[in-house]
Amino acid sequence: MIYINDLLDDFDLEAALPLLSAQRREQTLRFRYESGRRQCAAAYLLLCEALRKEYGITEKPLFEYNEHGKPNLMFSSLHVPFSILHQIHFNISHCSEAAVCIVSDHPVGIDVESIRSYRPSLVSYTMNDAEQRQIAAAERPEVEFIRLWTQKEAVLKLRGTGLRNDMKTVLDDAPFVRTVIHSDYRYIYSVAE
């Protein structure tokens, strides 16, 4: 199930801070600007909401991270049967326009990005020739670039490998990826399963 908060300008950070685990509060407060803090807190609270609605988990989850930074639920932090915890997979992401969370019974990855202009050098570094042609031919090249970028990041987050040097081949052997473009073209998110 996908959870979205795209009302981040209205997000009350001061009210949210006590709802975060100490671990997440520390991560949230590391952001230099309040907008980043709101995004980080909102993404975590979406995960809390998802865990509560989908699994009845009311504790504040803690994370452990793999060598590339992919978060996983720290089993010892939750009072839930071990058999259920191993069935819970999640991923979160945030940008200036939205925070998103996905929970599932199988590995997943999600990425959200605001639609904005891009640098041609970034396109040539991250997109293969066919993707570059797609972007150039698109009615809105910035939308097509962000669509492909979120797909690549979602796949990498699913795999837990982090950004890699050869971004051009990420989608070559990608699993199923779906993309949603916000109706007002504010942001795009992609999910890899």
Side-chain angles (χ1 to χ4, degrees), residues 97-115:
E97 297 291 333
V100 295
C101 172
I102 186 168
V103 293
S104 180
D105 61 356
H106 57 273
V108 290
I110 192 166
D111 186 55
V112 63
E113 299 289 339
S114 302
I115 297 176

Side-chain angles (χ1 to χ4, degrees), residues 28 30 34 39 67 71 74-75 85 89 108 138 141 180 182 187:
T28 296
R30 280 191 209 136
E34 186 174 330
Q39 295 163 27
E67 67 274 13
M74 187 180 298
F75 297 138
L85 283 176
H89 298 272
V108 290
V180 174
H182 185 271
Y187 62 87

Side-chain angles (χ1 to χ4, degrees), residues 147-167:
R147 185 185 72 78
L148 289 166
W149 179 265
T150 61
Q151 289 180 352
K152 290 178 183 229
E153 276 218 44
V155 167
L156 294 172
K157 291 173 79 174
L158 164 72
R159 294 177 178 157
T161 58
L163 293 178
R164 57 186 215 195
N165 290 336
D166 185 12
M167 293 290 290

Side-chain angles (χ1 to χ4, degrees), residues 162-178:
L163 293 178
R164 57 186 215 195
N165 290 336
D166 185 12
M167 293 290 290
K168 293 180 179 188
T169 61
V170 170
L171 297 178
D172 288 354
D173 60 347
F176 177 71
V177 180
R178 62 192 151 125

Side-chain angles (χ1 to χ4, degrees), residues 65-91:
Y65 298 88
N66 77 6
E67 67 274 13
H68 300 288
K70 181 177 181 172
N72 294 297
L73 294 175
M74 187 180 298
F75 297 138
S76 62
S77 71
L78 302 172
H79 298 92
V80 176
F82 192 69
S83 59
I84 292 176
L85 283 176
H86 277 290
Q87 296 174 25
I88 302 173
H89 298 272
F90 78 96
N91 205 230

Side-chain angles (χ1 to χ4, degrees), residues 109-123:
I110 192 166
D111 186 55
V112 63
E113 299 289 339
S114 302
I115 297 176
R116 62 194 180 285
S117 61
Y118 60 87
R119 294 185 322 273
S121 61
L122 184 59
V123 172

Side-chain angles (χ1 to χ4, degrees), residues 8 16 24-25 31 34 38 53 57 60 88 97-98 110-111 135 142 154 178 181 185 193:
L8 297 179
R24 190 61 174 199
R25 190 170 30 257
F31 281 85
E34 186 174 330
R38 284 195 310 266
K53 287 182 176 178
I57 297 172
K60 298 173 184 176
I88 302 173
E97 297 291 333
I110 192 166
D111 186 55
I135 293 167
E142 72 282 6
R178 62 192 151 125
I181 300 172
Y185 289 95
E193 301 184 72

